[in-house]
């Protein structure tokens, strides 16, 4: 759903730098911390922990610790978190269709001002 | 269209702090600098100038100076700028419907952690 929506200088942003990417990673179901680190390979464990904590605080996802050995912790979108998928899809569709135009306008502006 | 979409701690953001508000102000037609200052009454002339310049650079609006006395300058959304109205409306609808839940989740978290 969001695979071809690469992050970039899009004017539409969902949450902080990682929020939308975490939501995209969780939209098919619960994931463990290590399962989020793989697709989000640029994120440090510290930043991922902070992002997940902020999203849990805002009611966008839940953190469930299962009393197993070794312990298992899963993150899952709440109904509220899932409700962001729709505006995210709209933002993603916009970027797919128009981001090239923004970058083109910027490049044209650069070449005008540096000439 | 966006009158009841007050800015706030929404997870969805369009551009920098003022971009979405400027687009909302321009969606009915071209406006002069002074006509933008009125609805955006918290913005300083310096910041408004910078925001308008960045948006022109990105191809979202045009700046037209009419050779009149006194000089008249108008800002108008481009087709690209207008294309942001749709994802903005989706973001706005989300905030209207769900922002209270985010704030409620935050408040509940606050009271749990401060107890």
């Amino acid at each position: 759903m969001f695979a071809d929506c690469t992050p970039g200088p899009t004017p539409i942003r969902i949450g902080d730098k990682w929020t939308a990417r975490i939501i995209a990673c969780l939209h098919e179901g619960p994931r463990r911390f290590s399962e989020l680190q793989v697709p989000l390979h640029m994120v440090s464990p510290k930043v991922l922990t902070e992002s997940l904590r902020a999203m849990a605080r805002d009611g966008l996802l839940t953190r469930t610790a299962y009393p197993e050995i070794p312990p298992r912790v899963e993150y899952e979108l709440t109904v509220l978190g899932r409700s962001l998928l729709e505006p995210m899809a709209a933002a993603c569709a916009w970027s797919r269709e128009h981001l090239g135009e923004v970058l083109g306008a910027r490049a044209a502006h650069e070449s005008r001002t540096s000439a």
Side-chain angles (χ1 to χ4, degrees), chain A residues 31-52:
Chain A
R31 293 285 185 273
R32 302 170 71 155
F33 192 89
S34 56
E35 291 173 323
L36 290 170
Q37 280 184 297
V38 177
L40 302 170
H41 49 85
M42 296 293 289
V43 71
S44 71
K46 180 172 177 290
V47 168
L48 182 54
T49 300
E50 284 167 1
S51 298
L52 290 168

Side-chain angles (χ1 to χ4, degrees), chain A residues 40-111:
Chain A
L40 302 170
H41 49 85
M42 296 293 289
V43 71
S44 71
K46 180 172 177 290
V47 168
L48 182 54
T49 300
E50 284 167 1
S51 298
L52 290 168
R53 203 171 285 165
M55 291 171 71
R57 182 202 63 186
D58 285 356
L60 302 179
L61 54 78
T62 56
R63 176 188 187 277
T64 309
Y66 293 93
E68 298 172 0
I69 294 171
R72 182 164 58 100
V73 177
E74 282 191 345
Y75 299 89
E76 184 168 15
L77 290 180
T78 59
V79 172
L80 180 60
R82 296 196 75 81
S83 73
L84 274 168
L85 290 168
E86 193 181 316
M88 271 176 60
C92 199
W94 187 90
S95 294
R96 208 158 31 222
E97 197 172 344
H98 297 292
L99 195 54
E101 294 169 61
V102 171
L103 300 177
R106 272 189 209 178
H109 182 268
E110 287 288 312
S111 67

